Amino acid sequence: MYSNPQKTDAAAGTAALQIRDVRKRYGSLEALRGVSFDIAPGEFFALLGPNGAGKSTLISIIAGLVGADTGSVAVMGHDTVKDFRAARRKLGVVPQELVFDPFFKVRELLRIQAGYYGCGKESWPWIEEMLERLDLASKTEVSMRALSGGMKRRVLIAQALVHKPPLVILDEPTAGVDVELRRTLWAFMRELHAQGTTVVLTTHYLEEAQELCSRVAILDRGAVQVIEPTPQLLARHPYRFLRLKLAGGAQLPESLRELVTANVEGVMELKLETRRHPIGAVFEALRSAGLAIEDVQTREPDLEDIFIELTGHKAGNGR
Amino acid sequence: MTPDQLGFLTLLKKEVMRFWSVLGQTVTAPVITALLYLLVFAQAMAGRAPVYPGIGYTEFLIPGLVMMTVIQNAFANTSSSLMQSKMMGNIVFLQMAPLGPLQWFAAYILAAIARCALVSVAMVLATLPFVQLPVREPLAALAVFLLAAGSLAALGLIAGIVAEKFDHIAAFTNFLITPLSFLSGVFYSVHALPPLWFKASHLNPFFYMIDGFRYGFFGHGDVPIALSLAWSLGFFLLVSAICMWMLVTGYRLKR
Ligand SMILES: Nc1ncnc2c1ncn2[C@@H]1O[C@H](COP(=O)(O)OP(=O)(O)OP(=O)(O)O)[C@@H](O)[C@H]1O
Ligand SMILES: [Mg+2]
């Protein structure tokens, strides 16, 4: 089992991940403009941001694939450059791209991967357990090149975990996977987290981050826009959404029209600022205009609304 | 075993498995090519005056052909392995692993040497029914073999690091490795060359590898064995230093 690997580090008060003023340029493009934050052991953390925000670049720097221009990163207190061996033994990264080695079969590949980290036969039961949990048990002797995309994604996840790292970073693990596998992966990540692993996730499915992660950072154009616990971030948004359908397809009174953000076949969505437009006032306005409500629904703002508010972008394929 | 040692051995094993899984391409094919050369040249040159007194042309030819094959295969092994990893993107697994530059270097080089040893033994065994070579200086032959295979494997790593596509590896092979290995006295003694080419040959490190290797069998070469060993060692140290510098700095691999 994957039992509480980083307890001792946590006791020492060391951050699972410490990022200090990391900058990276690609020619004239500033991919990261001084990123700093810490992730505590045991967190389930979401790193969000629109395409090109710099999420993967930051992860590549943490993993040692890319060199930062300035700044430093430490995994469980080990500098990723000066003390790279110790840092990498504590880190597992699932890359965004579906990369694989076509020469090997699934089980063979995972055993090799474990070997790189100095894990021998003692890691084999864990490999079998992961194969089982990730629904790859029937594919253990299949060549990597013969796997479907979703299966390759699962092997990538297993590869990142062979050495039982206390910090796991998953770069869009659920991109392009079907609904069932996504559920499986969520359950798997939750289980890892419950067993003491610090999990960092990037995703464009914001409801995924909202459901899984206790803290969120939003990166935009290479800088951290906001970093907050998920509930606080959600509470920041001072709006509620009200969906209305009026009897007989009637129009809204003049005073309410500016609040409409969508109108689909007579179902209107109103964006209400909590303090300026209490819901009661809306109903009052409708009543005094003599309008009858056929259907009504309210919606709390979700991470997607906040994301759009903060970055001015659509998150992509979220809903 | 320490985790570092196991990491290194795993990478070595992986590199060996890689060429082992395609033995037809990595061992059988080069052996057959070399045997074809042997057949054609031994026929064409039959009846000529021996290059070295008392040594038949076929005998003379075999060590050079083995060394030429070693040179080409050591280079091919590391360059194609690294290039494939880069192209497939799976090099990230190695880059993210707690393996240091020296472990990378040693694992790739040793795997290439293993392939070359396999190819060499296969060639000698295949020609055994026709020609029994003497082995007068086995240590010299072994030393030159290791230095040559090591140097070309390191050169292959350098090419794999620098190249951005397979065409670049092919250019490296076609415009550097193949011509230099052909113009190094495999098929003749450099003493038979016109003066200019004779001089030029002495600037070609492959010439010393072939001459030194041949010395290991016959106890006789175009230049003293000490010179061949010195050139082979010097070349090995030079390319290894360049290769290690690239690995340590992350040249082209770490963006
Ligand atoms: N090797 C590179 N060379 C040049 N520019 C690069 C390189 N890698 C990334 N970039 C640029 O850096 C910026 C950040 O890219 P990055 O891949 O980190 O974004 P991301 O947040 O992961 O986006 P996505 O959500 O699309 O995965 C982009 O503008 C990208 O074009
Ligand atoms: Mg990305």
PDB file of all heavy atoms in Angstrom, chain A residues 24 65-67 85 88-89 100-101 103 108 112 115-118 156, chain B residues 4 6-7 10 14 17 21 84 90 93-98 103 254-255:
ATOM      1  N   LYS A  24      11.189  32.437 -16.566  1.00  0.00           N
ATOM      2  CA  LYS A  24      11.647  31.726 -17.758  1.00  0.00           C
ATOM      3  C   LYS A  24      11.231  32.488 -19.006  1.00  0.00           C
ATOM      4  O   LYS A  24      10.086  32.874 -19.165  1.00  0.00           O
ATOM      5  CB  LYS A  24      11.035  30.317 -17.787  1.00  0.00           C
ATOM      6  CG  LYS A  24      11.437  29.496 -18.995  1.00  0.00           C
ATOM      7  CD  LYS A  24      12.880  29.086 -18.928  1.00  0.00           C
ATOM      8  CE  LYS A  24      13.341  28.398 -20.198  1.00  0.00           C
ATOM      9  NZ  LYS A  24      14.772  28.077 -20.137  1.00  0.00           N
ATOM     10  N   LEU A  65      13.171  19.228 -16.422  1.00  0.00           N
ATOM     11  CA  LEU A  65      13.217  19.098 -17.875  1.00  0.00           C
ATOM     12  C   LEU A  65      13.625  20.398 -18.526  1.00  0.00           C
ATOM     13  O   LEU A  65      14.136  20.427 -19.639  1.00  0.00           O
ATOM     14  CB  LEU A  65      11.839  18.703 -18.427  1.00  0.00           C
ATOM     15  CG  LEU A  65      11.279  17.393 -17.908  1.00  0.00           C
ATOM     16  CD1 LEU A  65       9.858  17.180 -18.415  1.00  0.00           C
ATOM     17  CD2 LEU A  65      12.165  16.246 -18.369  1.00  0.00           C
ATOM     18  N   VAL A  66      13.361  21.484 -17.823  1.00  0.00           N
ATOM     19  CA  VAL A  66      13.626  22.819 -18.335  1.00  0.00           C
ATOM     20  C   VAL A  66      14.395  23.562 -17.246  1.00  0.00           C
ATOM     21  O   VAL A  66      14.132  23.366 -16.066  1.00  0.00           O
ATOM     22  CB  VAL A  66      12.287  23.533 -18.645  1.00  0.00           C
ATOM     23  CG1 VAL A  66      12.482  25.012 -18.886  1.00  0.00           C
ATOM     24  CG2 VAL A  66      11.584  22.876 -19.822  1.00  0.00           C
ATOM     25  N   GLY A  67      15.363  24.353 -17.648  1.00  0.00           N
ATOM     26  CA  GLY A  67      16.099  25.139 -16.679  1.00  0.00           C
ATOM     27  C   GLY A  67      15.447  26.504 -16.508  1.00  0.00           C
ATOM     28  O   GLY A  67      15.105  27.156 -17.476  1.00  0.00           O
ATOM     29  N   ARG A  85      19.025  14.565  -7.191  1.00  0.00           N
ATOM     30  CA  ARG A  85      18.663  13.152  -6.991  1.00  0.00           C
ATOM     31  C   ARG A  85      17.607  12.999  -5.904  1.00  0.00           C
ATOM     32  O   ARG A  85      16.593  12.327  -6.098  1.00  0.00           O
ATOM     33  CB  ARG A  85      19.897  12.336  -6.603  1.00  0.00           C
ATOM     34  CG  ARG A  85      20.803  12.045  -7.760  1.00  0.00           C
ATOM     35  CD  ARG A  85      22.054  11.314  -7.253  1.00  0.00           C
ATOM     36  NE  ARG A  85      23.207  11.646  -8.046  1.00  0.00           N
ATOM     37  CZ  ARG A  85      23.578  10.965  -9.125  1.00  0.00           C
ATOM     38  NH1 ARG A  85      22.891   9.920  -9.509  1.00  0.00           N
ATOM     39  NH2 ARG A  85      24.624  11.335  -9.811  1.00  0.00           N
ATOM     40  N   ARG A  88      14.244  14.456  -7.020  1.00  0.00           N
ATOM     41  CA  ARG A  88      13.506  13.662  -8.009  1.00  0.00           C
ATOM     42  C   ARG A  88      12.955  12.367  -7.428  1.00  0.00           C
ATOM     43  O   ARG A  88      11.945  11.850  -7.899  1.00  0.00           O
ATOM     44  CB  ARG A  88      14.418  13.341  -9.195  1.00  0.00           C
ATOM     45  CG  ARG A  88      14.696  14.583 -10.012  1.00  0.00           C
ATOM     46  CD  ARG A  88      15.565  14.268 -11.190  1.00  0.00           C
ATOM     47  NE  ARG A  88      16.097  15.508 -11.765  1.00  0.00           N
ATOM     48  CZ  ARG A  88      16.919  15.540 -12.787  1.00  0.00           C
ATOM     49  NH1 ARG A  88      17.298  14.424 -13.367  1.00  0.00           N
ATOM     50  NH2 ARG A  88      17.353  16.694 -13.251  1.00  0.00           N
ATOM     51  N   ARG A  89      13.638  11.831  -6.415  1.00  0.00           N
ATOM     52  CA  ARG A  89      13.113  10.604  -5.789  1.00  0.00           C
ATOM     53  C   ARG A  89      11.802  10.885  -5.074  1.00  0.00           C
ATOM     54  O   ARG A  89      11.022   9.985  -4.833  1.00  0.00           O
ATOM     55  CB  ARG A  89      14.124  10.047  -4.778  1.00  0.00           C
ATOM     56  CG  ARG A  89      15.331   9.478  -5.439  1.00  0.00           C
ATOM     57  CD  ARG A  89      15.915   8.272  -4.707  1.00  0.00           C
ATOM     58  NE  ARG A  89      16.823   7.608  -5.619  1.00  0.00           N
ATOM     59  CZ  ARG A  89      18.126   7.892  -5.716  1.00  0.00           C
ATOM     60  NH1 ARG A  89      18.661   8.766  -4.905  1.00  0.00           N
ATOM     61  NH2 ARG A  89      18.875   7.286  -6.611  1.00  0.00           N
ATOM     62  N   PHE A 100       5.611   7.832 -24.801  1.00  0.00           N
ATOM     63  CA  PHE A 100       5.787   6.434 -24.398  1.00  0.00           C
ATOM     64  C   PHE A 100       6.964   5.839 -25.147  1.00  0.00           C
ATOM     65  O   PHE A 100       7.433   6.377 -26.141  1.00  0.00           O
ATOM     66  CB  PHE A 100       4.516   5.639 -24.671  1.00  0.00           C
ATOM     67  CG  PHE A 100       4.158   5.555 -26.136  1.00  0.00           C
ATOM     68  CD1 PHE A 100       4.487   4.427 -26.874  1.00  0.00           C
ATOM     69  CD2 PHE A 100       3.504   6.598 -26.772  1.00  0.00           C
ATOM     70  CE1 PHE A 100       4.179   4.350 -28.227  1.00  0.00           C
ATOM     71  CE2 PHE A 100       3.192   6.526 -28.122  1.00  0.00           C
ATOM     72  CZ  PHE A 100       3.527   5.401 -28.851  1.00  0.00           C
ATOM     73  N   ASP A 101       7.447   4.710 -24.610  1.00  0.00           N
ATOM     74  CA  ASP A 101       8.561   4.024 -25.256  1.00  0.00           C
ATOM     75  C   ASP A 101       8.027   2.785 -25.972  1.00  0.00           C
ATOM     76  O   ASP A 101       7.615   1.825 -25.325  1.00  0.00           O
ATOM     77  CB  ASP A 101       9.595   3.620 -24.204  1.00  0.00           C
ATOM     78  CG  ASP A 101      10.896   3.186 -24.852  1.00  0.00           C
ATOM     79  OD1 ASP A 101      10.848   2.664 -25.985  1.00  0.00           O
ATOM     80  OD2 ASP A 101      11.962   3.372 -24.237  1.00  0.00           O
ATOM     81  N   PHE A 103       9.274   0.392 -27.415  1.00  0.00           N
ATOM     82  CA  PHE A 103      10.052  -0.841 -27.385  1.00  0.00           C
ATOM     83  C   PHE A 103       9.576  -1.820 -26.321  1.00  0.00           C
ATOM     84  O   PHE A 103       9.947  -2.990 -26.346  1.00  0.00           O
ATOM     85  CB  PHE A 103      11.532  -0.536 -27.135  1.00  0.00           C
ATOM     86  CG  PHE A 103      12.285  -0.295 -28.396  1.00  0.00           C
ATOM     87  CD1 PHE A 103      12.512   0.986 -28.848  1.00  0.00           C
ATOM     88  CD2 PHE A 103      12.751  -1.362 -29.160  1.00  0.00           C
ATOM     89  CE1 PHE A 103      13.191   1.214 -30.021  1.00  0.00           C
ATOM     90  CE2 PHE A 103      13.428  -1.146 -30.337  1.00  0.00           C
ATOM     91  CZ  PHE A 103      13.647   0.149 -30.769  1.00  0.00           C
ATOM     92  N   GLU A 108       6.899  -4.497 -18.143  1.00  0.00           N
ATOM     93  CA  GLU A 108       8.347  -4.348 -18.332  1.00  0.00           C
ATOM     94  C   GLU A 108       8.737  -2.867 -18.165  1.00  0.00           C
ATOM     95  O   GLU A 108       9.681  -2.508 -17.465  1.00  0.00           O
ATOM     96  CB  GLU A 108       8.633  -4.808 -19.758  1.00  0.00           C
ATOM     97  CG  GLU A 108      10.039  -5.112 -20.127  1.00  0.00           C
ATOM     98  CD  GLU A 108      10.089  -5.702 -21.542  1.00  0.00           C
ATOM     99  OE1 GLU A 108       9.337  -5.251 -22.435  1.00  0.00           O
ATOM    100  OE2 GLU A 108      10.885  -6.626 -21.743  1.00  0.00           O
ATOM    101  N   ILE A 112      11.185  -1.137 -15.355  1.00  0.00           N
ATOM    102  CA  ILE A 112      12.356  -0.337 -15.734  1.00  0.00           C
ATOM    103  C   ILE A 112      12.287   1.031 -15.070  1.00  0.00           C
ATOM    104  O   ILE A 112      13.247   1.522 -14.482  1.00  0.00           O
ATOM    105  CB  ILE A 112      12.438  -0.193 -17.271  1.00  0.00           C
ATOM    106  CG1 ILE A 112      12.813  -1.542 -17.889  1.00  0.00           C
ATOM    107  CG2 ILE A 112      13.449   0.875 -17.675  1.00  0.00           C
ATOM    108  CD1 ILE A 112      12.761  -1.559 -19.399  1.00  0.00           C
ATOM    109  N   GLY A 115      13.247   0.900 -11.606  1.00  0.00           N
ATOM    110  CA  GLY A 115      14.687   0.717 -11.494  1.00  0.00           C
ATOM    111  C   GLY A 115      15.457   2.025 -11.563  1.00  0.00           C
ATOM    112  O   GLY A 115      16.432   2.236 -10.831  1.00  0.00           O
ATOM    113  N   TYR A 116      15.015   2.939 -12.428  1.00  0.00           N
ATOM    114  CA  TYR A 116      15.691   4.241 -12.520  1.00  0.00           C
ATOM    115  C   TYR A 116      15.742   4.922 -11.157  1.00  0.00           C
ATOM    116  O   TYR A 116      16.649   5.684 -10.858  1.00  0.00           O
ATOM    117  CB  TYR A 116      14.952   5.191 -13.468  1.00  0.00           C
ATOM    118  CG  TYR A 116      14.976   4.806 -14.921  1.00  0.00           C
ATOM    119  CD1 TYR A 116      13.983   5.280 -15.789  1.00  0.00           C
ATOM    120  CD2 TYR A 116      15.980   4.004 -15.447  1.00  0.00           C
ATOM    121  CE1 TYR A 116      13.994   4.949 -17.127  1.00  0.00           C
ATOM    122  CE2 TYR A 116      15.989   3.668 -16.791  1.00  0.00           C
ATOM    123  CZ  TYR A 116      14.996   4.142 -17.628  1.00  0.00           C
ATOM    124  OH  TYR A 116      14.993   3.826 -18.953  1.00  0.00           O
ATOM    125  N   TYR A 117      14.704   4.669 -10.358  1.00  0.00           N
ATOM    126  CA  TYR A 117      14.613   5.318  -9.050  1.00  0.00           C
ATOM    127  C   TYR A 117      15.235   4.475  -7.943  1.00  0.00           C
ATOM    128  O   TYR A 117      15.061   4.757  -6.759  1.00  0.00           O
ATOM    129  CB  TYR A 117      13.147   5.642  -8.730  1.00  0.00           C
ATOM    130  CG  TYR A 117      12.613   6.763  -9.586  1.00  0.00           C
ATOM    131  CD1 TYR A 117      12.184   6.523 -10.881  1.00  0.00           C
ATOM    132  CD2 TYR A 117      12.601   8.068  -9.120  1.00  0.00           C
ATOM    133  CE1 TYR A 117      11.732   7.552 -11.699  1.00  0.00           C
ATOM    134  CE2 TYR A 117      12.146   9.102  -9.906  1.00  0.00           C
ATOM    135  CZ  TYR A 117      11.718   8.842 -11.202  1.00  0.00           C
ATOM    136  OH  TYR A 117      11.282   9.861 -11.994  1.00  0.00           O
ATOM    137  N   GLY A 118      15.934   3.411  -8.369  1.00  0.00           N
ATOM    138  CA  GLY A 118      16.589   2.567  -7.377  1.00  0.00           C
ATOM    139  C   GLY A 118      15.637   1.611  -6.680  1.00  0.00           C
ATOM    140  O   GLY A 118      15.955   1.088  -5.622  1.00  0.00           O
ATOM    141  N   LEU A 156       1.101   6.225 -18.048  1.00  0.00           N
ATOM    142  CA  LEU A 156       1.860   7.421 -17.660  1.00  0.00           C
ATOM    143  C   LEU A 156       1.675   7.713 -16.176  1.00  0.00           C
ATOM    144  O   LEU A 156       2.621   8.091 -15.483  1.00  0.00           O
ATOM    145  CB  LEU A 156       1.361   8.640 -18.438  1.00  0.00           C
ATOM    146  CG  LEU A 156       1.982   8.952 -19.789  1.00  0.00           C
ATOM    147  CD1 LEU A 156       1.391  10.252 -20.315  1.00  0.00           C
ATOM    148  CD2 LEU A 156       3.482   9.071 -19.660  1.00  0.00           C
TER     149      LEU A 156
ATOM    150  N   ASP B   4      21.515   4.453  -6.544  1.00  0.00           N
ATOM    151  CA  ASP B   4      22.198   5.028  -7.703  1.00  0.00           C
ATOM    152  C   ASP B   4      22.749   3.948  -8.622  1.00  0.00           C
ATOM    153  O   ASP B   4      22.655   4.040  -9.840  1.00  0.00           O
ATOM    154  CB  ASP B   4      23.347   5.937  -7.255  1.00  0.00           C
ATOM    155  CG  ASP B   4      22.836   7.257  -6.704  1.00  0.00           C
ATOM    156  OD1 ASP B   4      21.616   7.514  -6.843  1.00  0.00           O
ATOM    157  OD2 ASP B   4      23.641   8.020  -6.143  1.00  0.00           O
ATOM    158  N   LEU B   6      21.642   0.868  -8.833  1.00  0.00           N
ATOM    159  CA  LEU B   6      20.522   0.178  -9.465  1.00  0.00           C
ATOM    160  C   LEU B   6      19.970   1.023 -10.619  1.00  0.00           C
ATOM    161  O   LEU B   6      19.635   0.501 -11.682  1.00  0.00           O
ATOM    162  CB  LEU B   6      19.425  -0.115  -8.432  1.00  0.00           C
ATOM    163  CG  LEU B   6      18.214  -0.885  -8.982  1.00  0.00           C
ATOM    164  CD1 LEU B   6      18.636  -2.203  -9.607  1.00  0.00           C
ATOM    165  CD2 LEU B   6      17.201  -1.143  -7.874  1.00  0.00           C
ATOM    166  N   GLY B   7      19.905   2.335 -10.407  1.00  0.00           N
ATOM    167  CA  GLY B   7      19.437   3.223 -11.472  1.00  0.00           C
ATOM    168  C   GLY B   7      20.301   3.108 -12.706  1.00  0.00           C
ATOM    169  O   GLY B   7      19.811   2.957 -13.829  1.00  0.00           O
ATOM    170  N   THR B  10      19.860  -0.260 -14.402  1.00  0.00           N
ATOM    171  CA  THR B  10      18.581  -0.333 -15.102  1.00  0.00           C
ATOM    172  C   THR B  10      18.678   0.350 -16.463  1.00  0.00           C
ATOM    173  O   THR B  10      18.199  -0.171 -17.465  1.00  0.00           O
ATOM    174  CB  THR B  10      17.472   0.324 -14.261  1.00  0.00           C
ATOM    175  OG1 THR B  10      17.443  -0.284 -12.975  1.00  0.00           O
ATOM    176  CG2 THR B  10      16.120   0.149 -14.921  1.00  0.00           C
ATOM    177  N   LYS B  14      18.218  -1.421 -19.952  1.00  0.00           N
ATOM    178  CA  LYS B  14      17.235  -0.947 -20.931  1.00  0.00           C
ATOM    179  C   LYS B  14      17.888  -0.733 -22.287  1.00  0.00           C
ATOM    180  O   LYS B  14      17.344  -1.099 -23.322  1.00  0.00           O
ATOM    181  CB  LYS B  14      16.609   0.362 -20.448  1.00  0.00           C
ATOM    182  CG  LYS B  14      15.461   0.829 -21.319  1.00  0.00           C
ATOM    183  CD  LYS B  14      15.338   2.322 -21.399  1.00  0.00           C
ATOM    184  CE  LYS B  14      15.746   2.811 -22.756  1.00  0.00           C
ATOM    185  NZ  LYS B  14      15.832   4.215 -22.924  1.00  0.00           N
ATOM    186  N   MET B  17      18.534  -4.104 -23.816  1.00  0.00           N
ATOM    187  CA  MET B  17      17.271  -4.692 -24.288  1.00  0.00           C
ATOM    188  C   MET B  17      16.834  -4.054 -25.592  1.00  0.00           C
ATOM    189  O   MET B  17      16.271  -4.705 -26.462  1.00  0.00           O
ATOM    190  CB  MET B  17      16.177  -4.489 -23.243  1.00  0.00           C
ATOM    191  CG  MET B  17      16.273  -5.429 -22.053  1.00  0.00           C
ATOM    192  SD  MET B  17      15.209  -4.869 -20.708  1.00  0.00           S
ATOM    193  CE  MET B  17      13.636  -5.531 -21.231  1.00  0.00           C
ATOM    194  N   SER B  21      16.243  -6.480 -28.679  1.00  0.00           N
ATOM    195  CA  SER B  21      14.905  -6.777 -29.190  1.00  0.00           C
ATOM    196  C   SER B  21      14.843  -6.671 -30.712  1.00  0.00           C
ATOM    197  O   SER B  21      13.885  -7.108 -31.328  1.00  0.00           O
ATOM    198  CB  SER B  21      13.875  -5.848 -28.555  1.00  0.00           C
ATOM    199  OG  SER B  21      14.072  -4.526 -29.016  1.00  0.00           O
ATOM    200  N   GLN B  84      15.701   8.471 -31.085  1.00  0.00           N
ATOM    201  CA  GLN B  84      14.349   7.924 -30.976  1.00  0.00           C
ATOM    202  C   GLN B  84      13.673   8.404 -29.697  1.00  0.00           C
ATOM    203  O   GLN B  84      12.511   8.789 -29.718  1.00  0.00           O
ATOM    204  CB  GLN B  84      14.392   6.394 -30.980  1.00  0.00           C
ATOM    205  CG  GLN B  84      14.308   5.830 -32.374  1.00  0.00           C
ATOM    206  CD  GLN B  84      14.675   4.355 -32.434  1.00  0.00           C
ATOM    207  OE1 GLN B  84      15.070   3.760 -31.441  1.00  0.00           O
ATOM    208  NE2 GLN B  84      14.557   3.784 -33.612  1.00  0.00           N
ATOM    209  N   ASN B  90       9.895  10.178 -25.111  1.00  0.00           N
ATOM    210  CA  ASN B  90      10.042   9.410 -23.864  1.00  0.00           C
ATOM    211  C   ASN B  90      11.359   9.697 -23.146  1.00  0.00           C
ATOM    212  O   ASN B  90      11.613   9.178 -22.064  1.00  0.00           O
ATOM    213  CB  ASN B  90       9.867   7.904 -24.109  1.00  0.00           C
ATOM    214  CG  ASN B  90      10.866   7.360 -25.099  1.00  0.00           C
ATOM    215  OD1 ASN B  90      12.054   7.576 -24.975  1.00  0.00           O
ATOM    216  ND2 ASN B  90      10.387   6.636 -26.095  1.00  0.00           N
ATOM    217  N   PHE B  93      11.323  10.672 -19.364  1.00  0.00           N
ATOM    218  CA  PHE B  93      11.364   9.742 -18.225  1.00  0.00           C
ATOM    219  C   PHE B  93      12.779   9.597 -17.686  1.00  0.00           C
ATOM    220  O   PHE B  93      12.984   9.441 -16.495  1.00  0.00           O
ATOM    221  CB  PHE B  93      10.804   8.374 -18.621  1.00  0.00           C
ATOM    222  CG  PHE B  93       9.387   8.449 -19.086  1.00  0.00           C
ATOM    223  CD1 PHE B  93       9.029   8.019 -20.344  1.00  0.00           C
ATOM    224  CD2 PHE B  93       8.413   8.989 -18.264  1.00  0.00           C
ATOM    225  CE1 PHE B  93       7.720   8.107 -20.777  1.00  0.00           C
ATOM    226  CE2 PHE B  93       7.100   9.082 -18.694  1.00  0.00           C
ATOM    227  CZ  PHE B  93       6.753   8.638 -19.957  1.00  0.00           C
ATOM    228  N   LEU B  94      13.742   9.640 -18.599  1.00  0.00           N
ATOM    229  CA  LEU B  94      15.138   9.583 -18.164  1.00  0.00           C
ATOM    230  C   LEU B  94      15.549  10.898 -17.534  1.00  0.00           C
ATOM    231  O   LEU B  94      16.254  10.939 -16.535  1.00  0.00           O
ATOM    232  CB  LEU B  94      16.054   9.332 -19.364  1.00  0.00           C
ATOM    233  CG  LEU B  94      16.197   7.892 -19.828  1.00  0.00           C
ATOM    234  CD1 LEU B  94      17.178   7.818 -20.976  1.00  0.00           C
ATOM    235  CD2 LEU B  94      16.674   7.048 -18.664  1.00  0.00           C
ATOM    236  N   GLN B  95      15.080  11.992 -18.137  1.00  0.00           N
ATOM    237  CA  GLN B  95      15.466  13.310 -17.628  1.00  0.00           C
ATOM    238  C   GLN B  95      14.870  13.592 -16.251  1.00  0.00           C
ATOM    239  O   GLN B  95      15.450  14.329 -15.480  1.00  0.00           O
ATOM    240  CB  GLN B  95      15.032  14.400 -18.616  1.00  0.00           C
ATOM    241  CG  GLN B  95      15.799  14.349 -19.916  1.00  0.00           C
ATOM    242  CD  GLN B  95      15.350  15.450 -20.844  1.00  0.00           C
ATOM    243  OE1 GLN B  95      14.233  15.447 -21.341  1.00  0.00           O
ATOM    244  NE2 GLN B  95      16.206  16.417 -21.083  1.00  0.00           N
ATOM    245  N   MET B  96      13.707  13.002 -15.988  1.00  0.00           N
ATOM    246  CA  MET B  96      13.069  13.238 -14.691  1.00  0.00           C
ATOM    247  C   MET B  96      13.594  12.270 -13.633  1.00  0.00           C
ATOM    248  O   MET B  96      13.331  12.437 -12.448  1.00  0.00           O
ATOM    249  CB  MET B  96      11.551  13.097 -14.807  1.00  0.00           C
ATOM    250  CG  MET B  96      10.923  14.162 -15.672  1.00  0.00           C
ATOM    251  SD  MET B  96       9.126  14.269 -15.515  1.00  0.00           S
ATOM    252  CE  MET B  96       8.583  12.708 -16.144  1.00  0.00           C
ATOM    253  N   ALA B  97      14.290  11.227 -14.075  1.00  0.00           N
ATOM    254  CA  ALA B  97      14.791  10.220 -13.136  1.00  0.00           C
ATOM    255  C   ALA B  97      16.021  10.745 -12.413  1.00  0.00           C
ATOM    256  O   ALA B  97      16.715  11.630 -12.914  1.00  0.00           O
ATOM    257  CB  ALA B  97      15.122   8.936 -13.895  1.00  0.00           C
ATOM    258  N   PRO B  98      16.289  10.206 -11.229  1.00  0.00           N
ATOM    259  CA  PRO B  98      17.460  10.688 -10.463  1.00  0.00           C
ATOM    260  C   PRO B  98      18.767  10.102 -10.987  1.00  0.00           C
ATOM    261  O   PRO B  98      19.530   9.506 -10.252  1.00  0.00           O
ATOM    262  CB  PRO B  98      17.157  10.220  -9.035  1.00  0.00           C
ATOM    263  CG  PRO B  98      16.277   9.034  -9.196  1.00  0.00           C
ATOM    264  CD  PRO B  98      15.502   9.225 -10.462  1.00  0.00           C
ATOM    265  N   GLN B 103      26.130   8.666 -15.111  1.00  0.00           N
ATOM    266  CA  GLN B 103      25.357   7.431 -15.255  1.00  0.00           C
ATOM    267  C   GLN B 103      24.789   7.306 -16.664  1.00  0.00           C
ATOM    268  O   GLN B 103      24.805   6.228 -17.253  1.00  0.00           O
ATOM    269  CB  GLN B 103      24.222   7.396 -14.225  1.00  0.00           C
ATOM    270  CG  GLN B 103      24.719   7.144 -12.817  1.00  0.00           C
ATOM    271  CD  GLN B 103      23.648   7.433 -11.797  1.00  0.00           C
ATOM    272  OE1 GLN B 103      23.096   8.519 -11.753  1.00  0.00           O
ATOM    273  NE2 GLN B 103      23.343   6.458 -10.966  1.00  0.00           N
ATOM    274  N   LYS B 254      18.048  20.056 -22.132  1.00  0.00           N
ATOM    275  CA  LYS B 254      17.288  20.809 -21.143  1.00  0.00           C
ATOM    276  C   LYS B 254      16.992  22.170 -21.745  1.00  0.00           C
ATOM    277  O   LYS B 254      17.910  22.931 -22.020  1.00  0.00           O
ATOM    278  CB  LYS B 254      18.139  20.944 -19.883  1.00  0.00           C
ATOM    279  CG  LYS B 254      17.367  21.280 -18.644  1.00  0.00           C
ATOM    280  CD  LYS B 254      18.249  21.080 -17.436  1.00  0.00           C
ATOM    281  CE  LYS B 254      17.570  21.566 -16.183  1.00  0.00           C
ATOM    282  NZ  LYS B 254      18.347  21.271 -14.988  1.00  0.00           N
ATOM    283  N   ARG B 255      15.733  22.465 -21.977  1.00  0.00           N
ATOM    284  CA  ARG B 255      15.413  23.686 -22.712  1.00  0.00           C
ATOM    285  C   ARG B 255      15.225  24.874 -21.794  1.00  0.00           C
ATOM    286  O   ARG B 255      14.846  24.706 -20.673  1.00  0.00           O
ATOM    287  CB  ARG B 255      14.143  23.477 -23.531  1.00  0.00           C
ATOM    288  CG  ARG B 255      14.257  22.331 -24.460  1.00  0.00           C
ATOM    289  CD  ARG B 255      13.869  22.724 -25.839  1.00  0.00           C
ATOM    290  NE  ARG B 255      14.453  21.786 -26.794  1.00  0.00           N
ATOM    291  CZ  ARG B 255      14.967  22.172 -27.951  1.00  0.00           C
ATOM    292  NH1 ARG B 255      15.012  23.428 -28.285  1.00  0.00           N
ATOM    293  NH2 ARG B 255      15.441  21.287 -28.779  1.00  0.00           N
TER     294      ARG B 255
END
